[in-house]
């Protein structure tokens, strides 16, 4: 797709393929396909997980609120505290609870930190809840969205999500499956 302009891909997912791939054709002959980049497939993990594209830090903040980010050179001490915690030893826990009253800037801080971590390739996934969005105001799409972002970010991670779906296809679609189980199987 290098150099391609003004095209669209509908009802497809993207699978990253690296290295040499060997395919059997109908006559049983093995052919070699050397690919580095994207392979378009009509059905893939992303079409099964149905991630919410507008939930990540990459969303268009004008059309998928909240449209907030820290003004440059503000909140530096708090951002440094969070990134220091992020880079700290795993024994200290993996959940950082950023809390405060409505309108104090929690989303702006989270957006800024996500962008900074993404620049240094230290962000696996992000999800921004938004109470006015049907898809983003509950945990229903949380684990599948994180799993799809992780699968896209880390070579080899897609296999783990596929295995979870193969073992239990209802893990994504059954509303009675707990979010804890979804997170355990799809993300952790």
């Amino acid at each position: 797709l290098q150099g391609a302009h003004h095209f669209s891909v509908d009802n497809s997912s993207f699978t990253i393929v690296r290295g040499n791939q060997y395919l059997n054709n109908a006559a049983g002959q093995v052919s070699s396909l050397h690919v580095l980049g994207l392979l378009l497939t009509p059905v893939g993990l992303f079409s099964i997980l149905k991630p919410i594209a507008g939930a990540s830090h990459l969303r268009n903040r004008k059309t998928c609120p909240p449209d907030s980010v820290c003004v440059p050179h503000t909140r530096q001490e708090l951002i440094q505290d969070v990134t220091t915690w992020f880079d700290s030893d795993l024994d200290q826990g993996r959940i950082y609870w950023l809390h405060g009253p409505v309108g104090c800037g929690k989303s702006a801080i989270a957006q800024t930190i996500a962008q900074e971590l993404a620049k240094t390739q230290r962000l696996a996934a992000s999800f921004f809840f938004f109470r006015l969005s049907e898809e983003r105001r509950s945990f229903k799409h949380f684990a599948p969205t994180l799993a799809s972002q992780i699968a896209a970010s880390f070579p080899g991670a897609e296999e783990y999500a596929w295995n979870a779906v193969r073992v239990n296809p209802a893990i994504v679609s059954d509303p009675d499956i707990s979010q804890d189980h979804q997170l355990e199987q799809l993300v952790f």
Side-chain angles (χ1 to χ4, degrees), residues 22-25 28-32:
Y22 299 93
L23 307 171
N24 287 322
N25 63 19
Q29 298 172 323
V30 176
S31 60
S32 174

Side-chain angles (χ1 to χ4, degrees), residues 38-179:
L38 297 174
L39 174 68
L40 300 177
T41 57
V43 177
L45 181 62
F46 301 119
S47 64
I48 291 169
L49 293 176
K50 297 181 176 90
I52 306 304
S56 87
H57 70 287
L58 298 173
R59 72 193 181 287
N60 178 343
R61 295 189 327 261
K62 299 290 184 206
T63 59
C64 295
D67 181 16
S68 55
V69 67
C70 292
V71 174
H73 310 296
T74 63
R75 303 291 187 117
Q76 292 298 303
E77 186 176 331
L78 178 56
I79 292 168
Q80 183 61 46
D81 286 347
V82 175
T83 55
T84 299
W85 164 83
F86 183 85
D87 293 331
S88 68
D89 197 9
L90 287 174
D91 293 337
Q92 295 183 17
R94 291 287 86 187
I95 296 176
Y96 190 101
W97 183 17
L98 182 61
H99 58 92
V102 173
C104 73
K106 298 178 299 290
S107 294
I109 293 165
Q111 178 71 33
T112 302
I113 291 169
Q115 288 175 192
E116 290 299 314
L117 293 173
K119 283 180 195 174
T120 57
Q121 298 179 343
R122 297 182 299 159
L123 183 68
S126 62
F127 192 103
F128 283 78
F129 289 94
F130 188 63
R131 66 181 165 190
L132 299 179
S133 166
E134 185 71 33
E135 297 175 317
R136 294 170 46 212
R137 69 177 169 209
S138 75
F139 278 97
K140 180 180 177 183
H141 301 285
F142 182 64
T145 299
L146 291 184
S148 68
Q149 290 178 29
I150 292 168
S153 296
F154 298 101
E158 183 176 7
E159 177 183 344
Y160 292 101
W162 266 120
N163 287 338
V165 172
R166 277 189 208 106
V167 168
N168 183 3
I171 196 166
V172 179
S173 60
D174 187 344
D176 294 328
I177 300 256
S178 75
Q179 283 80 32

